[in-house]
């Protein structure tokens, strides 16, 4: 496909892990400010953590650094009370609101809304529009359509909707900035990337998007993402240096990446860096990990960071079984849904969890910590950001925080220090009585389907007896969880998502399939392909992902398979089709052709994710990388010996249990 905008001002810089993208961005901003002192620069990052890292450079007001959600909120938020924009909200989300009003399961919520607005007539979209004075950004997982409160995703949707309709919002960006930089563009919403490209083109803004397609480990439509990036001219760097890892690890990563144009060289300062790179094939994977940790301690090595895909045992290790079990039973977060338990309980940052209650309880934890340590300014900040009503009550007639009112309020907040054994329900009741949160919200949230619908077990009574519902989880569980989220370096156990962008001296990659939760990761089947397919890389899988399109309409699933195989013909491809076909026959044999074709594409997307997860995990290691695999899983696939040989080729020392 040809570039949509083949202009010289649109640039895509694809750089592998460890190549110093953040450093390049800092240098680019500094150079631009020196050459063009009047420039205004926008830098968009994916996470709050990345914002903080860039802010360490202490740029002046000419440089705006923001997450995409914060930036968009600033762009359209000031207009949320304008009547036309409120009307546009109802046009944009008309279908969602209509579905809500027709949903019999939401009657209680609708009745509450009617009661709070003294409205007794039959509720329609027009009625809600008349009752709505402004749109709000709720920073939550789900939009509250009745109160016009947008979630994270719907904020992006609404922004795209307004951009397409009102040129004014394009001008707010186009007239202000002369340089736009997007970091981690592979994680940015493709719709937003396309609109930024269009604005940059229309206003002749230099626009650079930095990223790495091999590090796209959040579920996104592969074609949409690549289509958006196709708007930008790919800039191939003359040389790529790795500033994180020892030479032996860099050499292995190059072989995994398998792209000569992006082959990394070790940074000069790391050329003499000693390294350990090992594959352990063990009978007991957990015991192998414990042995590695014990040996690391005896050798005075850095404490290893274990990377896992998903492990219930991780929560048990930190005495978090109570909260894990409660959330694991919710229908909303079961396999196949948009968010899972891992997304909810272990977000990248405390305010990025997609669950309302977890986010609320994290705020309570922060208030508790601030009250215990007499951090008065922190209390004010938390109230201002999260509990607006309480913050307003601190202000005097001049709109300034009253010291006397604040100290009186702090005395009340000290109650929180006694709350560790309080349940979610008790704390919600307390917060409601202190006007920290809206009474109706506190009353209604535990009645939401998210928290009332639980997975049905064979023995329902036993489930009820265990009483492991979210409302009964104690604050102390959220305190431990908050510490784990905010200080993952102390845990020495994380997911590949949790350490994205980080480097650690010693990494243990614990190979495991995730066949129950999203992302669905067939890690061992991916290893089977790595062993059996020549030139196995991301592009290979992407081409397989798209080839089905040529056969979708005309062929049955079985005929499609034969047609595709006849086009290919090499032994590596035969193995690929064997693996995929085995999986689909196992799960979808009695399904329709359409469902089988969708399953085909989904499974290839899962294989791509598994390959990326392995690459990202290995690329976190600075000097010591140990991969641990289960011997029984490899024996099932018949690849114990061949995998060992493949990993020797990659540069690993292979250690096998007898």
């Amino acid at each position: 496909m040809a570039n949509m905008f083949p202009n010289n001002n649109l640039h895509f810089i694809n750089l592998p892990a460890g190549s110093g993208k953040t450093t390049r961005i800092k240098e680019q901003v500094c150079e631009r400010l020196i050459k063009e002192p009047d420039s205004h620069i926008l830098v968009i990052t994916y996470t709050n953590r990345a914002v903080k890292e860039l802010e360490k450079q202490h740029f002046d007001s000419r440089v705006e650094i923001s997450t995409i959600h914060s930036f968009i909120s600033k762009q359209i938020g000031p207009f949320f009370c304008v009547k036309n924009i409120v009307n546009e909200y109802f046009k944009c989300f008309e279908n969602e609101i209509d579905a809500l009003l027709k949903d019999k399961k939401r009657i209680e919520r609708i009745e509450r809304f009617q009661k709070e607005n003294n409205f007794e007539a039959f509720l329609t979209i027009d009625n809600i529009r008349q009752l709505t004075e402004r749109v709000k950004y709720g920073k939550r997982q789900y939009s509250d359509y009745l109160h016009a409160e947008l979630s994270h995703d719907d904020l992006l949707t609404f922004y795209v909707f307004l951009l397409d309709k009102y040129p004014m919002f394009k001008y707010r960006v186009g007239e202000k900035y002369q340089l736009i930089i997007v970091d981690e563009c592979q994680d940015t919403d493709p719709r937003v990337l396309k609109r930024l490209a269009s604005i940059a083109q229309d206003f002749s803004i230099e626009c650079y998007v930095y990223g790495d397609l091999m590090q796209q480990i959040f579920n996104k439509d592969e074609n949409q993402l690549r289509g958006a990036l196709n708007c930008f001219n790919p800039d191939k760097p003359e040389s790529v240096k790795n500033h994180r890892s020892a030479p032996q690890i860099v050499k292995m990563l190059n072989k995994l990446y398998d792209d000569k144009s992006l082959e990394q060289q070790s940074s000069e300062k790391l050329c003499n860096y000693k390294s350990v790179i090992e594959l352990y094939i063990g009978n007991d994977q957990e015991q192998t990990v414990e042995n590695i940790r014990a040996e690391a301690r005896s050798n005075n090595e850095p404490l290893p960071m274990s990377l896992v895909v998903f492990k219930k045992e991780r929560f048990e290790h930190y005495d978090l079984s109570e909260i894990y079990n409660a959330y694991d039973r919710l229908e909303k977060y079961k396999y196949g849904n948009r968010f899972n338990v891992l997304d909810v309980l272990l977000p990248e940052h405390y305010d990025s969890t997609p669950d309302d209650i977890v986010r609320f309880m994290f705020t309570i934890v922060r208030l508790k910590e601030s009250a215990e340590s007499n951090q008065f300014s922190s209390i004010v900040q938390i109230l201002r950001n999260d509990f607006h009503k309480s913050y307003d009550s601190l202000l005097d007639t001049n709109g300034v925080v009253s010291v006397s009112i604040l100290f009186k309020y702090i005395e009340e907040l000290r109650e929180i220090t006694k709350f560790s054994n309080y349940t979610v329900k008790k704390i919600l009741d307390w917060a409601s009585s202190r006007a920290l949160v809206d009474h109706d919200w506190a009353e209604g949230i535990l009645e939401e389907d998210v928290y009332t619908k639980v997975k049905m077990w064979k023995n329902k009574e036993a489930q009820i007896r265990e009483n492991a519902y979210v409302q009964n989880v104690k604050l102390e569980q959220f305190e431990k969880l908050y510490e784990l989220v905010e200080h993952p370096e102390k845990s020495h156990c994380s997911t590949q998502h949790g350490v994205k962008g980080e480097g650690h001296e010693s990494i243990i990659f614990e190979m495991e399939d995730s066949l129950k939760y999203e992302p669905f990761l067939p890690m061992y089947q991916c290893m089977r392909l790595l062993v059996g397919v020549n030139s196995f890389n991301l592009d290979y899988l992407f081409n397989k992902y798209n080839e089905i399109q040529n056969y979708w309409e005309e062929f049955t699933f079985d005929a499609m398979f034969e047609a595709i195989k006849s086009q290919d013909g090499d032994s590596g491809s035969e193995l690929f089709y064997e693996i995929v076909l085995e999986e689909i026959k196992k799960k979808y044999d009695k399904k329709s052709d359409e469902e089988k074709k969708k399953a085909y594409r989904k499974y290839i997307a899962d294989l791509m994710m598994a390959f990326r997860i392995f690459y990202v995990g290995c690329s976190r290691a600075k000097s010591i990388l140990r991969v641990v695999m289960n011997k029984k899983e490899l024996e099932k696939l018949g690849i114990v010996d061949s995998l060992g040989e493949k990993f020797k080729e990659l540069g690993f020392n292979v250690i096998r249990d007898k």
Side-chain angles (χ1 to χ4, degrees), residues 98 101-102 110 113-114 119-128 131:
D98 188 57
L101 295 176
K102 291 177 180 177
I110 293 168
F113 179 81
Q114 290 175 305
F119 192 86
E120 296 182 1
F122 179 77
L123 202 61
T124 66
I125 293 179
D126 287 336
N127 299 145
I128 302 170
L131 295 167

Side-chain angles (χ1 to χ4, degrees), residues 424 560 608:
V424 168
M560 179 198 78
M608 276 196 284

Side-chain angles (χ1 to χ4, degrees), residues 500 504 554 605:
K500 196 163 177 285
H504 297 267
E554 296 183 37

Side-chain angles (χ1 to χ4, degrees), residues 97-108 110 449:
I97 299 169
D98 188 57
L100 172 63
L101 295 176
K102 291 177 180 177
D103 189 349
K104 294 179 180 179
K105 299 173 184 177
R106 308 290 175 145
I107 289 175
E108 288 186 8
I110 293 168
D449 287 350

